[in-house]
Structures are given as C-alpha cells and as structure tokens.
Amino acid sequence: MYTGEIDVPNPLLRTTDLLNSSNLYWKDPARKSFGDALLMYNVILSIDGIDKYQTFESIQIRQPNIIFFHDGYATMGSSGEKERAVKLSEKAHEGKKSVHLITKARFNSFFEIQGSFHGLFKRKSNQKYIPINDVVLYEIIRRQDKWVKRRVGLTNDFIGVNSSYIESSSLI
C-alpha cells in the first residue's frame, strides 16, 4: 500500500474525478515517465506485516496497477455541490444501492468489498474507478495452506475501486 499526497489542480476537485479523468494532472509534466502514471509525494510503502517498508520523497505509480484508493477527506464537496448531487440523483431516480465486490486475485490475495453507491452501477462500471461509500474492506490472503481474512483499516468509509480489477459483483 502506498500512502502519500498527490497534486490536485483545484481543491474542490474530488479524488475520484481526478483519477477518472482522461489526463492525470501533473504540476510539472516534465517529471512524467509513463503516460498512465500518478505522481505521489511523501510516500510510505507498506507491505503485509511491515508498516513502513520504504519511504519516498516522490514516486510514480502506474494507474492500471492501482486496485483501489482512498483519501483522507472525511467529508467531500461543498453544500451547494451536495444539494446539486441530490437533485440530479432524484431527477434520474438513482438512489443509494448496496454492492458486494470481489477483486481478481493478485499473487496470494484478493479483496472483498461491501458498501453502497449512488447512481446506476452499469453506468459507474464504465468509469476507471467506481466510488463506493460505507465501505467494509477485507483482504483475503493465502498463508501456507490456509486462507486468512483480515479487515483493512481506512481513513474514512470511502474507496474508489479500479473497475478492471472487479472479478464479481452482487447488487444487494
């Protein structure tokens, strides 16, 4: 897990909107090595069992390799933006729905994600990242001859899941 900061062109822009855009924002595009990379600063790389495996002043993460992300914002958007979102949701008859996701296995683990989303899942699944709220996130890890289920702690109850990593989904 990489934890750090990213460049944001506008403080009102949501992380999901930034990562779903066709061009990732870079304050200094000359530093970009890959066309699909996200630049992070003050990064801590953690791996299973080691909270601070390595640190980096800056690092480029290839976006297709990001399974999910979460940000440090407990609340998002202005009150006007929230009111607009509620009106658009009501107009399109898009209420809050529950979802259960299983990601593709990578190496010896996969993720089980339960939460809710607003809108039509079919439309959201066409985006790079699907925003999920009220998240309960588990990592299922193969250790020797057993599967171990461990809850992943989040800064808040929101994540954006890379739609290309979703193996299965169940709308509840």
Side-chain angles (χ1 to χ4, degrees):
M1 178 169 47
Y2 295 91
T3 306
E5 303 164 354
I6 61 172
D7 288 330
V8 179
N10 175 343
L12 297 177
L13 191 64
R14 294 175 179 214
T15 310
T16 308
D17 295 334
L18 181 69
L19 292 176
N20 274 332
S21 70
S22 56
N23 295 311
L24 288 175
Y25 175 76
W26 283 61
K27 197 178 284 185
D28 180 5
R31 295 186 65 187
K32 197 172 197 175
S33 297
F34 299 98
D36 60 357
L38 174 69
L39 181 62
M40 293 183 71
Y41 303 96
N42 305 318
V43 177
I44 298 171
L45 171 59
S46 303
I47 57 175
D48 189 29
I50 305 173
D51 288 337
K52 207 171 188 179
Y53 175 69
Q54 281 189 326
T55 59
F56 300 91
E57 186 177 310
S58 66
I59 193 169
Q60 296 182 37
I61 313 286
R62 305 273 317 261
Q63 193 176 14
N65 293 320
I66 299 171
I67 299 172
F68 65 87
F69 70 87
H70 62 99
D71 54 35
Y73 295 110
T75 59
M76 297 294 287
S78 66
S79 59
E81 181 183 6
K82 289 177 185 176
E83 287 174 24
R84 181 179 164 270
V86 167
K87 286 178 184 174
L88 286 173
S89 182
E90 287 172 354
K91 186 176 180 180
H93 304 290
E94 298 178 346
K96 184 176 177 181
K97 297 177 183 71
S98 296
V99 67
H100 186 161
L101 305 173
I102 304 290
T103 67
K104 295 177 184 176
R106 280 189 71 182
F107 307 108
N108 65 341
S109 71
F110 62 93
F111 294 92
E112 180 181 350
I113 304 161
Q114 295 175 19
S116 61
F117 66 95
H118 293 271
L120 299 173
F121 192 77
K122 183 176 181 177
R123 187 179 321 154
K124 301 251 185 230
S125 67
N126 291 324
Q127 298 175 346
K128 291 179 200 172
Y129 295 92
I130 300 171
I132 307 290
N133 295 308
D134 310 318
V135 173
V136 177
L137 176 65
Y138 293 98
E139 183 175 19
I140 315 301
I141 306 165
R142 178 88 173 164
R143 290 210 173 118
Q144 296 172 352
D145 62 344
K146 294 182 188 176
W147 288 97
V148 177
K149 185 176 184 177
R150 116 182 134 86
R151 187 160 181 175
V152 177
L154 300 172
T155 307
N156 56 45
D157 65 351
F158 162 82
I159 65 172
V161 180
N162 187 330
S163 59
S164 66
Y165 278 96
I166 297 172
E167 181 173 295
S168 61
S169 64
S170 174
L171 301 178
I172 306 165

